[in-house]
């Protein structure tokens, strides 16, 4: 099946919208009548929504899943093109992420992971391109450069951030930790500027922007410290957890397991390609209205709508002032992720930074296609924005500029998250002061509406793990209120 989402370009076909994915659901609905009754409506079929839906169905509750897209996965989905999975959004997972690893174990997919990096053959080097020229170095020297710069950046407490974020799976602990949410990453860079070499500065800035895909001025220093803490307070931990291990069959091969298990219970109804217009809480029930004019009613509603989209939905009663303010501010991430299939097989062991002059600033060799070509995955942010489907030639030049003379492009694949009306950006990353003022409000319930999304997870916020964490929390909240109370247990 082919999704409406995503774009694909080859010299032979030109640019085409829509890419195949096993995450596309057909038929688009199994609801035969609007008079059906449900215990819970779940809005959104990303990992938060899929987790909540599955847990509620397994608990015996009648669930209606409503999704705006034609597919599952939300901001984490994959396309399989000519036998190769291209990750269109969230990609990497790790056994140090407790919620995602529990689900990988549940679905017996522990052997379905593979490494993105392969330094066993080819050029086997890191290429740093800055306004001062090109530098080629070994991957060991790459690690030393970035680790040294990052340690200077995070070492605000003499212990590389451990005292500021001692418990990564919690929010704020001390007044001291909150003060770092007042700071931007640019503020912190100015504090350590004299201690950085030009190459350290370029590598550090590009790494920060790879995480936030915002601007240095708009990136919360505390949220960066939070990521650093989650990764064990080391650069190696960051690389392992953030960009090293992915599913052989793509993210959709994982997401479909949640949907299939929910469906197998007989308790799941679903409606895809149905964007939500309004959510009305009438104290004893919640009514969801779609843009197509349909209404669905249940006792509870779980909303997994992303932060940057929430202000496009009409809520009655209105959202509380702080949550409403947060939805209008949103998060800063406007990532551009472009996949390039190139003919140069030796580039499989290449990594590179091209900053700040290039519209794509960070890239790695990420796989080998069935045709024997190298898959390169490239990232850009809104500090130097590119709209790939609007100008393919500009996108090709940005890819080629990462490693001039080595990027003979055979294929481009991408999903423009900034232009996606159901995302309006990629993974969550906050601006200064946002978390300390709004995180608690975003996590609060709203009458019979429970909000669950990785954007306001406490642990791996903005990651697949955080999405599963939130879906689990929402399902447990609703289950405790709605599931039938059985006969008393007999004590033996």
């Amino acid at each position: 099946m082919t999704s409406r989402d995503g774009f694909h370009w080859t010299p032979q076909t030109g640019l085409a919208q829509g890419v195949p994915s096993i995450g596309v659901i057909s038929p688009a609905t199994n609801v035969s009548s609007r008079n059906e009754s449900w215990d819970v409506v779940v809005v959104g079929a990303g990992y938060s929504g899929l987790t909540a839906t599955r847990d509620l169905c397994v608990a015996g509750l009648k669930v209606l899943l409503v999704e705006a897209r034609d597919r599952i996965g939300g901001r984490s989905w994959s396309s399989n093109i000519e036998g190769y999975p291209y990750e269109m959004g969230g990609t990497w997972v790790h056994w140090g992420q407790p919620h995602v690893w529990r689900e990988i174990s549940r679905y017996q997919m522990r052997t379905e992971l593979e490494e993105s990096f392969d330094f066993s053959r080819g050029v086997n080097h890191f290429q740093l391109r800055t306004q001062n020229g090109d530098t080629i170095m070994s991957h060991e020297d790459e690690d030393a450069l970035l680790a040294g710069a990052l340690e200077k950046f995070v070492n605000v407490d003499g212990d590389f951030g451990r005292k500021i974020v001692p418990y990564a799976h919690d929010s704020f602990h001390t007044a001291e930790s909150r003060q770092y949410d007042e700071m931007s990453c640019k503020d912190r860079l100015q504090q350590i500027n004299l201690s950085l070499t030009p190459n350290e500065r370029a590598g550090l800035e590009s790494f920060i922007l790879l995480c936030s895909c915002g601007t240095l001025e708009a990136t919360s220093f505390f949220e960066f410290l939070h990521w650093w803490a989650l990764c064990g307070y080391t650069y190696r931990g960051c690389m392992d957890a953030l960009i090293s291990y992915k599913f052989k069959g793509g993210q959709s091969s994982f997401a479909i397991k949640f949907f299939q298990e929910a469906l197998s219970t007989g308790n799941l109804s679903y409606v895809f390609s149905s964007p939500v217009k309004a959510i009305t809480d009438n104290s004893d029930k919640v009514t969801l209205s779609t843009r197509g004019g349909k209404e669905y009613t249940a006792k509870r509603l779980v909303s997994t709508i992303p932060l940057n989209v929430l202000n496009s939905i009409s809520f009655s009663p209105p959202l509380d002032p702080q949550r409403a303010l947060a939805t209008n501010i949103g998060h800063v991430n406007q990532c551009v992720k472009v996949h390039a299939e190139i003919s140069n097989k030796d580039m499989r062991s290449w990594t590179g930074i091209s900053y700040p002059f290039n519209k794509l600033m960070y890239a790695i060799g990420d796989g080998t296609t069935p045709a024997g070509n190298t898959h390169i995955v490239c990232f850009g942010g809104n500090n130097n924005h590119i709209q790939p489907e609007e100008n393919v030639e500009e996108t090709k030049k940005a890819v080629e500029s990462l490693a001039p003379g080595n990027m003979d492009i055979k294929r481009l694949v991408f999903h423009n998250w900034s232009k996606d009306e159901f995302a309006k950006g990629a993974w969550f990353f906050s601006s200064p002061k946002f978390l300390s003022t709004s995180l608690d409000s975003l996590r609060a319930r709203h009458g019979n509406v429970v909000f669950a999304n990785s954007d306001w997870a406490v642990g791996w916020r903005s990651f697949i793990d955080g999405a599963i964490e939130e879906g689990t929390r929402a399902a447990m909240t609703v289950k405790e209120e709605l599931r039938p109370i059985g006969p008393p247990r007999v004590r033996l």
Side-chain angles (χ1 to χ4, degrees), residues 241-279:
L242 304 183
I243 200 168
S244 288
Y245 300 97
K246 59 180 183 175
F247 288 103
K248 296 175 184 177
Q251 274 294 334
S252 293
S253 70
F254 183 42
I256 198 69
K257 300 287 189 181
F258 294 72
F259 184 80
Q260 290 170 341
E261 183 177 358
L263 196 60
S264 72
T265 66
N267 293 323
L268 175 62
S269 303
Y270 61 83
V271 181
F272 283 77
S273 299
S274 296
V276 175
K277 179 181 180 181
I279 294 171

Side-chain angles (χ1 to χ4, degrees), residues 90-391:
T91 302
W92 292 278
V93 295
H94 191 266
W95 44 90
Q97 297 165 340
H99 301 282
V100 77
W101 194 249
R102 179 194 65 211
E103 301 298 344
I104 290 172
S105 298
R106 178 190 187 114
Y107 294 123
Q108 301 181 53
M109 296 183 71
R110 291 187 297 271
T111 60
E112 293 300 310
L113 299 182
E114 64 180 5
E115 292 187 69
S116 282
F117 297 102
D118 181 358
F119 298 154
S120 64
R121 56 185 171 82
V123 299
N124 199 20
H125 67 232
F126 168 66
Q127 186 169 1
L128 177 62
R129 304 193 69 225
T130 71
Q131 291 171 328
N132 297 322
D134 284 20
T135 302
I136 302 292
M137 66 181 76
S138 69
H139 291 301
E140 290 78 13
D141 288 340
E142 171 193 7
D143 291 343
L145 175 75
L146 291 173
L150 280 163
E151 287 172 359
K152 294 174 185 178
F153 185 63
V154 302
N155 195 20
V156 292
D157 55 2
D159 201 11
F160 304 105
R162 288 177 175 85
K163 296 175 183 175
I164 302 303
V165 191
Y167 305 105
H169 287 264
D170 209 336
S171 49
F172 294 96
H173 307 279
T174 65
E176 187 178 17
S177 66
R178 286 179 177 269
Q179 73 171 305
Y180 291 107
D181 193 44
E182 301 279 323
M183 293 176 60
S184 71
C185 284
K186 183 176 182 180
D187 294 334
R188 175 58 182 163
L189 283 167
Q190 289 174 339
Q191 291 179 346
I192 64 169
N193 182 51
L194 295 179
S195 70
L196 297 171
T197 68
N199 280 353
E200 282 181 323
R201 179 78 184 229
L204 177 57
E205 288 190 10
S206 62
F207 190 92
I208 295 166
L209 294 174
L210 173 65
C211 294
S212 76
C213 289
T215 63
L216 295 171
E217 296 87 347
T219 298
S220 163
F221 179 52
F222 179 85
E223 184 68 337
F224 189 90
L225 286 175
H226 179 232
W227 279 40
W228 177 257
L230 287 166
C231 296
Y233 310 93
T234 68
Y235 166 73
R236 178 60 185 268
C238 288
M239 297 305 292
D240 284 349
L242 304 183
I243 200 168
S244 288
Y245 300 97
K246 59 180 183 175
F247 288 103
K248 296 175 184 177
Q251 274 294 334
S252 293
S253 70
F254 183 42
I256 198 69
K257 300 287 189 181
F258 294 72
F259 184 80
Q260 290 170 341
E261 183 177 358
L263 196 60
S264 72
T265 66
N267 293 323
L268 175 62
S269 303
Y270 61 83
V271 181
F272 283 77
S273 299
S274 296
V276 175
K277 179 181 180 181
I279 294 171
T280 303
D281 185 353
N282 294 312
S283 74
D284 61 337
K285 63 182 181 180
V286 185
T287 299
L288 178 149
S289 304
T290 71
R291 292 184 194 171
K294 294 186 177 181
E295 292 187 346
Y296 304 102
T297 299
K299 300 171 186 175
R300 298 289 187 276
L301 183 142
V302 176
S303 168
T304 70
I305 299 167
L307 173 63
N308 284 4
V309 184
L310 266 176
N311 65 358
S312 68
I313 309 299
S314 173
F315 283 90
S316 180
L319 299 179
D320 65 90
Q322 187 57 53
R323 194 197 314 256
L325 177 62
T327 65
N328 288 329
I329 295 172
H331 69 78
V332 304
N333 189 318
Q334 298 296 318
C335 177
V336 176
K337 182 181 182 183
V338 176
H339 299 277
E341 181 181 353
I342 65 172
S343 62
N344 190 336
K345 297 176 176 58
D346 288 339
M347 292 292 281
R348 177 67 182 92
S349 56
W350 170 90
T351 62
I353 289 173
S354 183
Y355 175 83
F357 58 88
N358 196 2
K359 292 183 180 295
L360 294 172
M361 61 186 177
Y362 188 98
I364 65 170
D366 193 40
T368 301
T369 70
N373 296 323
T374 297
H375 166 223
I376 303 289
V377 59
C378 319
F379 295 89
N382 69 2
N383 62 312
N384 199 3
H385 216 272
I386 187 172
Q387 304 292 347
E389 76 278 15
E390 296 178 6
N391 193 330

Side-chain angles (χ1 to χ4, degrees), residues 3-5 23-25 28-29 41-50 53 64-75 77 259 268-276 288 290-291 296 302 304-306 415 417 420-423 453:
S3 174
R4 295 186 299 271
D5 289 343
V24 177
I25 303 301
T29 183
V41 172
V42 176
V43 183
Y47 276 108
S48 286
L50 290 173
T53 295
L64 173 66
L65 176 62
V66 180
E67 168 57 50
R69 307 179 191 277
D70 56 13
R71 58 171 182 81
I72 61 171
R75 289 173 286 180
W77 70 291
F259 184 80
L268 175 62
S269 303
Y270 61 83
V271 181
F272 283 77
S273 299
S274 296
V276 175
L288 178 149
T290 71
R291 292 184 194 171
Y296 304 102
V302 176
T304 70
I305 299 167
H415 183 147
W417 294 103
D420 184 326
E421 66 171 319
F422 305 124
N453 192 282

